[in-house]
Amino acid sequence: MNIDCQIRNMSSIHDSLSDVCVDQIMEGDNKVSCENCKVKTNTILRTAISTLPDMLVLSLKRFDLDFTTFETVKLNSRCEFGEELNMKQYTLQAKEVLEAAGEASASAAKKNKEEEESKSEAGSMMDLEESDTKDAAEEEDPLSALPDEDYEYKLAGVLVHAGVAQGGHYYSFIKDRTSAKWYRFDDEDVTPFDKSSIERECFGGTVKKETKYTNGQTHVVEQDQFANALMLFYEKVKPNKFASSEGEEKEASASSSTDDAPMEEEPKTEAIPSNLELTNGYNVFLPEVTKSNSTHSWQSFLLTNEFQSFVKEILNRCTGQHQNNVEDDSMDITPASSPSPDIPGSEMDTCRLGIVRMSLSFVFDVLFHLPLNKDVLDSWFKTFEQVFSSSIEITSMFVADLADRTRLVNENWIRAYTMECSEEKPRQTALKIFACAIASLLSKNAELELLERWMEAWKQQVEDRERLIASKRDHTASSFPTKLEATFRPLEDFEKIGVTATSVGIILSYISELIEVSPRYTQAYIDIPFFIRELATSGKSSLELELLRDAMVEARFIERLTCLALRHNSDEQVKETFPGSSVPADALEAITRKEVRSTNILMNNSEDRSDYATNLILLEAIGCLMGMPWVRKEPIFQETGESNRGRAIRTLTPRAIEALSILYEESKPNGAAGMTLNDIHQYLRDCSMRIPPQRIEQLFERHGVDVEGVDGGKVLDLNGFLVYHRELVNNSDDQVCFV
């Protein structure tokens, strides 16, 4: 049984239960029509519990509607509850006893009043004694006739919600039936719990927090306790007993019957068959719990570092890379007398490719949808980079599978990592792996020829489209196609030029479709240009890179991205050509469903950052497609994985060191041992930077090198220049270098 208990203006669970069982007088407009009298009359609406269950659940209504803001709010007010709970006063039996006692008391009072009126004013001592006896009898509790043990409950568990109405976390405190010990269940963590802490952890209310300042003053702030009980589970001390046969039921009814027969007989309930097996629910949910625990164990095993290393080893063995890993510290447990663990390339191709498919499914269907740190992602990228560079067979299979999945929705990896995956770093690493595989595949001459034919077909399709529009014979050709369509030329013409299915071409066509729908998805609005930028810069040779870039240019990627950046500000003809990329913002609001966030607690400035990131990545993608890879923004620092006083330690990236070294050599005089103080000032003026002179002097004092014959006696060498910038990225999030 579950009872909803009000929390607002209630100090304890007994106040809430009393409010549930309070009698209401239905009068005025709320009169109830009587079936016997056929008229509306005043009625008492009574709420009570007719039968108490073995397990009683009390749901505390902590979520309510704020009629001022019309938002859902959480009530964190204090509500006390005890380990023991007596439900006698909230039952139907108690109300009947109290009603009978009230009627008897009223009848006795009326009778006494009549007797007193008939007596004289001067009463005897005997009358006083009788009066005292009657008063004592009236003070007796009428509910004492009901045994307490039939209504006693003990607390068995508490469900706690920590957070606000719009979000939070659930955990439980549960009492073990065998040992009577309490435990805290918080996701996969189960820890012992002291029941004396229930008041602090579950009652709610306010808590005082002290803040001590350096000047010795203490500031005390009283704030709500956001973690409090949401549901209470009480177990009956004396469980209910059910009649096991008709004989027992008749015997029980006969023993409880009286001489006075009731006016209306209650409907008889069917007796519980003797062969019916009763259960407390443990055996019913045991298979489900066992299955859930097994699933959790398997998932925990699959996500361990050991299993990831195992999958990497499988990929290396399938490509013959394990022999090159001389620095690997893993132990080789293969017996000396056993055959070679290598899988033969010609005899076991099917088996080898099947193993690789299984490994790829684990990585892209499971692993990369989880929050992974940078070291793990970099390790997986290097593994796939080695696999693609060593086995053109596996690369062809992977890219072909990637292209074949574009026809699907559920297992479409490109769609998953541009629109659905919520983890930013894993999804960008996955897109980089896809781009690396496509670039590696283009080292195959056959794939290069297929891509060239695909480009020729695109050119012919564009020419046919422009000719049809010019002749005004086709009014439906205003929008630019996203893939090769046979409707623009006869099928035999395609066969003449030898157009065959190419995995890279299918993927590029699918990316064109994603660009058209990307304005509807915030994530795709960023990650699709990111994928295009990686494709435009991932070629291993100039020929492969140029051909892949030309193919994307031929498919009008530059125009599509430009229209995506300008949106409704694009030219009218461009809007007609790329209608999906140029959807205005007001139209998107009408056709898309945004997440509703009704509290300032969860609000942030992610929209501004995403707009900035989107515009930047779009410009980088367009620049890389136009053969200008230097427009690509490179990070100047990376985290080392270590920390100092809780702050992550950063270091300069190799590309940043390379760029700063070039900048240093261009800024110092030719042949000089380093940059002097005047050189630094000139460098700052050239960069339009204003640094306080005291800061520059501190720079020379800390990182300068003594050199004779130089004004000031010190110069800043390359090492000091780099050390300064390394310290700067660890101390400042905004200014990372002089430029």
Side-chain angles (χ1 to χ4, degrees):
M1 176 185 291
N2 181 25
I3 301 177
D4 293 333
C5 301
Q6 291 287 348
I7 291 300
R8 189 184 294 275
N9 301 326
M10 303 293 173
S11 61
S12 67
I13 195 65
H14 283 287
D15 294 342
S16 299
L17 290 172
S18 299
D19 182 71
V20 172
C21 298
V22 68
D23 293 343
Q24 298 181 15
I25 300 177
M26 311 296 290
E27 57 184 357
D29 295 336
N30 295 327
K31 288 183 178 181
V32 178
S33 177
C34 179
E35 296 181 357
N36 297 329
C37 305
K38 305 301 181 181
V39 294
K40 289 187 176 181
T41 181
N42 295 339
T43 308
I44 298 177
L45 178 62
R46 179 171 295 168
T47 303
I49 303 173
S50 60
T51 304
L52 289 172
D54 288 340
M55 180 61 70
L56 178 65
V57 182
L58 303 180
S59 297
L60 309 185
K61 301 180 70 173
R62 291 196 175 274
F63 299 102
D64 203 354
L65 180 65
D66 188 347
F67 289 96
T68 303
T69 61
F70 289 96
E71 295 181 351
T72 303
V73 295
K74 182 183 177 184
L75 305 178
N76 297 307
S77 54
R78 181 181 176 87
C79 182
E80 301 177 359
F81 56 89
E83 187 177 358
E84 297 180 354
L85 177 65
N86 191 308
M87 294 291 294
K88 182 193 297 185
Q89 57 181 322
Y90 313 115
T91 61
L92 181 60
Q93 296 91 332
K95 285 187 175 290
E96 291 176 349
V97 170
L98 291 175
E99 184 178 4
E103 293 177 355
S105 177
S107 177
K110 182 179 180 181
K111 183 178 181 180
N112 291 337
K113 184 178 180 181
E114 293 176 355
E115 292 178 354
E116 289 177 358
E117 291 177 355
S118 64
K119 291 181 181 180
S120 61
E121 296 180 358
S124 63
M125 183 63 65
M126 185 179 294
D127 295 335
L128 293 176
E129 291 178 356
E130 290 179 358
S131 177
D132 294 340
T133 304
K134 292 178 181 179
D135 294 340
E138 291 177 357
E139 291 178 358
E140 292 182 359
D141 184 9
L143 297 181
S144 60
L146 300 176
D148 289 335
E149 58 269 16
D150 292 340
Y151 305 94
E152 290 289 342
Y153 283 85
K154 282 197 173 183
L155 188 65
V158 181
L159 175 65
V160 178
H161 177 268
V164 295
Q166 287 73 26
H169 178 62
Y170 293 91
Y171 55 91
S172 302
F173 300 117
I174 303 176
K175 179 182 178 181
D176 186 6
R177 288 183 173 87
T178 57
S179 63
K181 295 181 179 179
W182 283 81
Y183 295 90
R184 173 182 174 132
F185 290 77
D186 191 350
D187 292 339
E188 69 275 6
D189 296 331
V190 180
T191 55
F193 175 71
D194 185 5
K195 66 177 182 180
S196 62
S197 303
I198 289 181
E199 178 180 357
R200 185 181 68 254
E201 296 283 347
C202 306
F203 281 11
T206 58
V207 61
K208 294 182 179 180
K209 288 193 175 183
E210 295 184 355
T211 303
K212 294 184 178 180
Y213 297 101
T214 56
N215 57 4
Q217 294 182 353
T218 302
H219 182 62
V220 180
V221 178
E222 188 175 10
Q223 63 182 24
D224 288 345
Q225 183 77 15
F226 290 101
N228 37 55
L230 188 63
M231 298 181 71
L232 308 177
F233 298 84
Y234 282 94
E235 192 172 23
K236 199 172 185 184
V237 175
K238 183 180 178 181
N240 296 321
K241 291 184 179 180
F242 299 95
S244 59
S245 63
E246 295 182 4
E248 294 182 4
E249 183 182 5
K250 291 180 180 179
E251 183 180 353
S253 61
S255 61
S256 61
S257 63
T258 60
D259 295 337
D260 297 331
M263 295 180 61
E264 293 184 2
E265 294 185 357
E266 303 242 349
K268 295 183 179 180
T269 58
E270 296 183 1
I272 300 178
S274 58
N275 59 350
L276 183 63
E277 182 180 359
L278 301 179
T279 178
N280 57 3
Y282 175 81
N283 296 329
V284 175
F285 292 101
L286 182 60
E288 183 179 351
V289 173
T290 303
K291 181 180 178 182
S292 177
N293 291 339
S294 300
T295 303
H296 174 73
S297 299
W298 277 108
Q299 290 178 349
S300 301
F301 168 73
L302 292 174
L303 302 180
T304 57
N305 295 331
E306 291 78 7
F307 186 77
Q308 294 185 42
S309 300
F310 171 72
V311 176
K312 292 178 185 177
E313 184 67 17
I314 287 180
L315 289 173
N316 290 331
R317 288 183 181 275
C318 289
T319 57
Q321 289 293 314
H322 72 285
Q323 298 176 355
N324 299 331
N325 297 336
V326 294
E327 71 277 2
D328 191 3
D329 296 333
S330 59
M331 182 182 298
D332 188 3
I333 60 175
T334 305
S337 59
S338 64
S340 172
D342 295 339
I343 300 177
S346 58
E347 300 177 2
M348 297 288 288
D349 279 349
T350 303
C351 176
R352 180 175 58 180
L353 293 179
I355 294 174
V356 172
R357 286 181 184 274
M358 176 196 66
S359 304
L360 294 174
S361 178
F362 163 71
V363 173
F364 296 110
D365 287 335
V366 179
L367 185 63
F368 273 25
H369 288 275
L370 302 173
L372 304 174
N373 58 45
K374 185 177 182 299
D375 294 336
V376 174
L377 295 172
D378 290 344
S379 176
W380 276 107
F381 180 78
K382 292 179 181 178
T383 299
F384 281 109
E385 193 175 29
Q386 293 176 357
V387 169
F388 296 147
S389 62
S390 60
S391 175
I392 193 65
E393 257 185 341
I394 294 179
T395 306
S396 301
M397 179 272 295
F398 176 71
V399 177
D401 193 24
L402 196 66
D404 189 54
R405 289 172 181 268
T406 59
R407 300 181 295 104
L408 308 175
V409 176
N410 186 30
E411 299 178 356
N412 188 335
W413 287 345
I414 296 180
R415 176 186 174 88
Y417 290 102
T418 55
M419 293 185 177
E420 299 170 359
C421 179
S422 59
E423 300 296 332
E424 180 181 6
K425 293 182 180 179
R427 70 173 181 255
Q428 291 187 354
T429 302
L431 295 176
K432 289 171 63 177
I433 292 174
F434 298 160
C436 178
I438 293 173
S440 300
L441 181 63
L442 292 180
S443 61
K444 187 178 180 181
N445 293 331
E447 190 64 34
L448 285 175
E449 294 179 1
L450 287 176
L451 189 58
E452 289 177 350
R453 295 177 181 178
W454 184 84
M455 292 172 56
E456 291 295 329
W458 259 105
K459 291 180 181 179
Q460 189 62 45
Q461 179 173 276
V462 172
E463 293 177 359
D464 292 347
R465 173 183 176 276
E466 293 177 351
R467 186 170 59 255
L468 288 173
I469 294 176
S471 60
K472 297 183 180 180
R473 290 183 300 176
D474 189 353
H475 299 285
T476 64
S478 57
S479 61
F480 200 87
T482 58
K483 57 184 178 180
L484 289 176
E485 299 179 1
T487 56
F488 281 94
R489 58 185 297 113
L491 184 60
E492 55 270 15
D493 291 350
F494 280 95
E495 296 175 352
K496 289 179 183 178
I497 62 176
V499 176
T500 314
T502 165
S503 300
V504 179
I506 294 174
I507 293 175
L508 294 182
S509 296
Y510 183 69
I511 294 175
S512 298
E513 296 180 16
L514 292 182
I515 296 176
E516 289 297 309
V517 300
S518 60
R520 305 183 183 184
Y521 305 92
T522 303
Q523 180 177 318
Y525 201 44
I526 299 176
D527 289 336
I528 292 176
F530 174 86
F531 189 26
I532 295 173
R533 188 196 68 180
E534 294 298 320
L535 287 172
T537 56
S538 297
K540 295 185 177 180
S541 66
S542 58
L543 177 61
E544 301 164 4
L545 182 61
E546 184 177 357
L547 182 61
L548 182 59
R549 192 166 56 236
D550 290 344
M552 290 187 286
V553 171
E554 194 62 45
R556 299 298 189 268
F557 275 29
I558 295 179
E559 291 87 338
R560 295 181 191 276
L561 292 178
T562 304
C563 185
L564 190 64
L566 298 177
R567 300 286 290 280
H568 58 282
N569 295 323
S570 303
D571 184 80
E572 291 298 329
Q573 185 176 359
V574 176
K575 291 181 182 179
E576 295 179 0
T577 306
F578 308 107
S581 303
S582 58
V583 178
D586 54 350
L588 284 178
E589 292 180 358
I591 62 177
T592 58
R593 179 183 179 183
K594 295 185 178 181
E595 180 182 0
V596 178
R597 291 175 293 182
S598 57
T599 176
N600 292 330
I601 298 178
L602 301 179
M603 292 292 288
N604 51 43
N605 295 327
S606 59
E607 290 82 359
D608 298 336
R609 292 197 297 269
S610 63
D611 290 344
Y612 171 76
T614 301
N615 295 332
L616 182 62
I617 200 68
L618 278 171
L619 292 177
E620 292 178 1
I622 294 173
C624 292
L625 286 174
M626 298 177 66
M628 299 182 294
W630 55 84
V631 302
R632 176 174 178 172
K633 181 182 177 182
E634 293 286 345
I636 195 172
F637 65 84
Q638 61 186 9
E639 295 183 357
T640 62
E642 302 177 355
S643 61
N644 182 19
R645 297 180 179 179
R647 185 182 180 91
I649 299 178
R650 301 168 176 174
T651 185
L652 298 174
T653 61
R655 296 294 298 273
I657 294 176
E658 180 183 355
L660 290 173
S661 300
I662 297 174
L663 189 63
Y664 173 81
E665 293 297 332
E666 293 179 351
S667 301
K668 76 178 184 64
N670 295 331
M675 297 178 67
T676 63
L677 190 62
N678 293 331
D679 296 334
I680 290 292
H681 283 290
Q682 183 62 40
Y683 166 75
L684 295 175
R685 285 193 294 269
D686 294 340
C687 298
S688 300
M689 296 291 295
R690 294 181 180 180
I691 304 296
Q694 298 84 354
R695 188 173 178 182
I696 301 176
E697 294 176 0
Q698 293 177 0
L699 171 64
F700 272 82
E701 291 178 0
R702 297 181 60 183
H703 307 294
V705 179
D706 295 330
V707 176
E708 297 182 358
V710 178
D711 293 340
K714 287 187 176 183
V715 296
L716 190 68
D717 61 0
L718 177 60
N719 184 53
F721 191 73
L722 296 177
V723 169
Y724 168 73
H725 284 84
R726 191 177 299 115
E727 293 179 353
L728 196 60
V729 298
N730 281 283
N731 298 328
S732 175
D733 293 334
D734 300 326
Q735 185 180 6
V736 294
C737 63
F738 286 131
V739 294

